[in-house]
């Protein structure tokens, strides 16, 4: 019988594992071994990871890879990616090379503002509230001075604060909408601390503060990345036909939400991988990106395409709240290393790199989908995983990787072929 427990967080790591193994894992000693296999032998490093969250009992690895040959605004990057999906890095590398032969990626940051709210209820006279707000505005800002001091030195801080009447959407609901510039930090803690200080200063008997929190919807923290080439350079064979087909694939993702979700998922394959590798918050980025994709009232593609005047053009516009200082970027040794690999980018430069990773991934997916189909490449990459799963040894793995170079890969076919190899020692 599974059990509940109180005071769990106070147990030692070993006690937590004992409790888990005894109550949920049939006292299986192998389970404990698996957990411990992933502990780091460097105790300081392990302690660092233990302290990121509560109740840590092990580490969960993701492969950490690099995709070289990205040219962005004329500068060459090797992009670090943390991702488990087999085809993502291979696709990024291929696309980087493809576009590096065609002038690379162009990117620009359109805006960098972030927004947070003090959400509150007020049942009195609207005009009186407006007067109260106007009179207190400078005091509300003053209440954040000690928090914003360093940020102001770096050129950031609070850009604006306004009272918003939301009572048509919800009875008695108002907001203070505060706009921030957080420079190279993602700024979540900074924004939330400012908002809580502002809420405190706003307080009055007839104002009920419900909550103070940043928004992960950041349409004013926007970046654009683009590739383009003469249509004749788009493909070796029938470039006009395939460029048109590619264009149609993007239009379908704009017209059909079922397709748009998968299309954007492919974009996030690239985006999340870099966001994670650089110690940024991929849940925030995901939530914000999908909200942006639905900004017209319908969920659409985050990328766009044109095939005009003999030029193929493909671009992405996406909101990205990222940091290159503070948070995990300062704590996680691999996040730090990722930023070293990227040559210490500013947050704006990282926005461009991440947008490019998303655009590249979408390009790879659409190119495959509109030509050979996606499975060929996917299953080839997946073959490694299948062979691992089937317990193939190194020799068998090499033979089978070679054997399936020009054959169709499915789990069953690989299993049967491996079996045949084990029995007959040959491959037909
Ligand atoms: C798979 O992770 C991503 C794709 O499905 C994206 C797409 O269909 O565009 C290949």
């Amino acid at each position: 019988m599974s059990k509940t427990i109180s005071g769990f967080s106070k147990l030692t790591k070993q006690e937590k594992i004992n409790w888990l193994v005894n109550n949920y894992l049939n006292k299986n000693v192998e389970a404990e071994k698996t957990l411990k296999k992933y502990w780091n032998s460097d105790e300081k490093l392990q302690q660092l990871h233990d302290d990121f969250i509560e109740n840590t009992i092990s580490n969960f690895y993701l492969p950490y890879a690099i995709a070289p040959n990205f040219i962005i605004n004329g500068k060459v990057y090797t992009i670090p990616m943390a991702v488990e999906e087999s085809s993502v890095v291979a696709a990024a590398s291929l696309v980087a090379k493809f576009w590096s032969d065609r002038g690379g990626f162009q990117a620009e940051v359109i805006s960098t503002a972030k927004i947070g709210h003090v959400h509150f209820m007020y049942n009195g006279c609207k005009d009186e509230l407006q007067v109260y707000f106007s009179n207190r505005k400078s005091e509300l800002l003053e209440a954040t001075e000690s928090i914003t001091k360093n940020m102001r030195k770096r050129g950031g801080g609070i850009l604006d604060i306004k009272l918003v009447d939301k009572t048509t959407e919800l009875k008695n609901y108002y907001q203070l909408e505060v706009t921030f510039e957080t420079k190279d930090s993602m700024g979540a803690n900074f924004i939330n601390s400012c908002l809580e200080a502002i809420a405190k200063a706003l307080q009055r008997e007839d104002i009920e503060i419900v909550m103070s929190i940043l928004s992960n919807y950041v349409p004013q923290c926007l970046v654009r990345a683009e590739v383009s080439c003469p249509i004749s350079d788009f493909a070796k064979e029938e470039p006009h036909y395939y460029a048109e087909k590619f264009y149609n694939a993007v239009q379908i993702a704009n017209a059909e939400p079922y397709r748009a979700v998968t299309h954007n998922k492919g974009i996030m394959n690239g985006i999340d991988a870099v966001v994670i590798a650089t110690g940024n918050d991929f849940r925030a980025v995901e939530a914000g990106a999908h909200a942006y994709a639905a900004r017209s009232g319908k969920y659409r593609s985050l990328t766009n395409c044109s095939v005009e005047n003999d030029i193929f053009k493909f671009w992405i516009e996406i909101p990205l709240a990222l940091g290159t200082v503070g948070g995990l970027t300062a704590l996680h040794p691999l996040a730090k290393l990722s930023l070293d690999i990227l040559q210490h980018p500013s947050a704006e430069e990282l926005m461009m790199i991440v947008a490019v990773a998303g655009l590249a991934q979408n390009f790879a997916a659409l190119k495959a989908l509109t030509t050979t189909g996606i499975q060929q490449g996917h299953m080839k990459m997946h073959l490694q995983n299948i062979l691992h799963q089937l317990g193939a040894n190194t020799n068998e793995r090499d033979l089978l990787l070679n054997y399936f170079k020009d054959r169709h890969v499915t789990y069953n076919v690989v299993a049967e072929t491996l079996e045949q190899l084990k029995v007959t020692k040959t491959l037909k």
Side-chain angles (χ1 to χ4, degrees):
M1 243 306 253
S2 305
K3 293 204 180 100
T4 59
I5 181 170
S6 55
F8 184 69
S9 66
K10 303 215 167 51
L11 300 183
T12 65
K13 200 164 159 184
Q14 184 61 54
E15 286 166 343
K16 284 174 186 146
I17 292 176
N18 293 346
W19 178 85
L20 180 74
V21 171
N22 290 337
N23 291 290
Y24 282 84
L25 299 168
N26 297 326
K27 303 191 166 71
N28 179 359
V29 286
E30 288 307 314
E32 179 169 349
K33 277 193 200 153
T34 303
L35 286 170
K36 291 188 172 172
K37 214 187 276 176
Y38 287 90
W39 284 9
N40 200 294
S41 55
D42 176 340
E43 278 177 29
K44 253 173 96 183
L45 188 66
Q46 186 53 57
Q47 192 61 48
L48 178 75
H49 284 73
D50 288 357
D51 293 344
F52 283 149
I53 57 170
E54 187 146 294
N55 298 342
T56 310
I57 52 172
S58 189
N59 307 302
F60 191 96
Y61 291 174
L62 274 183
Y64 179 78
I66 49 169
N69 299 322
F70 275 93
I71 299 180
I72 307 173
N73 297 340
K75 183 171 166 187
V76 185
Y77 293 88
T78 288
I79 301 187
M81 303 179 100
V83 62
E84 87 300 345
E85 191 169 322
S86 43
S87 56
V88 171
V89 178
S93 304
L94 274 176
V95 171
K97 194 80 188 62
F98 179 92
W99 283 108
S100 68
D101 296 338
R102 290 161 179 77
F105 294 79
Q106 304 305 316
E108 61 167 328
V109 170
I110 296 167
S111 50
T112 56
K114 290 157 193 163
I115 281 181
H117 298 99
V118 177
H119 302 272
F120 65 94
M121 312 308 270
Y122 169 75
N123 190 14
C125 165
K126 277 177 201 178
D127 293 342
E128 204 272 314
L129 180 67
Q130 183 60 57
V131 171
Y132 173 68
F133 168 70
S134 303
N135 289 341
R136 290 210 45 95
K137 194 168 169 178
S138 54
E139 283 158 69
L140 297 179
L141 285 171
E142 265 163 39
T144 66
E145 257 176 21
S146 62
I147 309 167
T148 59
K149 194 169 166 224
N150 282 336
M151 187 63 84
R152 279 185 280 125
K153 272 191 207 148
R154 283 157 43 202
I158 295 178
L159 302 179
D160 191 21
I161 171 164
K162 61 181 184 215
L163 175 68
V164 186
D165 179 353
K166 286 276 172 181
T167 53
T168 51
E169 272 128 283
L170 180 67
K171 195 170 163 226
N172 300 336
Y173 171 36
Y174 294 84
Q175 318 169 323
L176 289 188
E177 182 174 281
V178 190
T179 312
F180 298 86
E181 168 57 59
T182 62
K183 301 307 281 183
D184 284 337
S185 65
M186 192 271 196
N189 281 331
F190 168 74
I191 293 175
N192 290 334
S193 300
C194 286
L195 291 170
E196 287 186 7
I198 290 170
K200 220 168 175 186
L202 179 78
Q203 227 147 19
R204 199 169 84 161
E205 223 170 52
D206 55 354
I207 290 177
E208 191 210 335
I209 309 284
V210 178
M211 58 191 161
S212 308
I213 186 76
L214 90 169
S215 173
N216 289 125
Y217 186 43
V218 285
Q220 293 163 48
C221 188
L222 204 60
V223 57
R224 181 190 154 98
E226 180 184 300
V227 282
S228 65
C229 68
I231 295 175
S232 53
D233 262 9
F234 181 76
K236 278 201 187 105
E237 280 157 33
E238 300 181 78
H240 282 83
Y241 169 74
Y242 282 111
E244 202 61 47
K245 218 174 160 191
F246 189 105
Y247 169 82
N248 283 335
V250 178
Q251 299 322 304
I252 288 169
N254 260 323
E256 168 55 64
Y258 275 97
R259 172 58 202 150
V261 171
T262 318
H263 176 102
N264 289 346
K265 186 272 181 188
I267 294 171
M268 303 316 285
N269 278 344
I271 295 208
D272 285 346
V274 190
V275 170
I276 293 171
T278 55
N280 275 281
D281 182 345
F282 67 96
R283 287 86 54 207
V285 165
E286 282 276 347
H290 296 297
Y292 190 71
R295 69 194 181 284
S296 65
K298 177 172 170 173
Y299 189 88
R300 294 177 192 277
S301 165
L302 285 163
T303 52
N304 254 300
C305 180
S306 68
V307 178
E308 282 166 11
N309 307 323
D310 265 336
I311 298 289
F312 168 85
K313 202 183 270 185
F314 181 48
W315 68 94
I316 186 168
E317 201 183 87
I318 187 167
L320 290 172
L322 301 174
T324 54
V325 298
L328 212 61
T329 60
L331 281 178
H332 197 298
L334 279 176
K336 264 194 206 164
L337 189 80
S338 294
L339 295 170
D340 289 347
I341 293 170
L342 292 171
Q343 310 292 297
H344 313 287
S346 64
E348 290 195 24
E349 195 178 350
L350 185 60
M351 285 166 77
M352 296 192 269
I353 295 165
V354 171
V356 162
L359 185 69
Q361 211 54 226
N362 191 220
F363 182 79
L366 296 186
K367 200 107 205 267
L369 285 167
T370 54
T371 53
T372 55
I374 207 81
Q375 280 314 94
Q376 191 178 314
H378 260 230
M379 290 315 284
K380 281 275 141 68
M381 294 300 297
H382 193 47
L383 178 59
Q384 292 269 19
N385 293 343
I386 296 176
L387 291 171
H388 267 299
Q389 234 174 310
L390 292 169
N393 63 34
T394 319
N395 182 39
E396 290 162 347
R397 208 158 40 231
D398 289 348
L399 286 169
L400 288 168
L401 285 174
N402 191 42
Y403 178 81
F404 279 102
K405 254 193 184 137
D406 43 17
R407 288 182 166 83
H408 188 63
V409 174
T410 69
Y411 184 90
N412 286 343
V413 170
V414 176
E416 279 163 23
T417 316
L418 176 62
E419 195 50 42
Q420 177 213 326
L421 178 64
K422 279 186 192 297
V423 175
T424 66
K425 309 280 176 233
T426 56
L427 285 169
K428 270 190 249 150

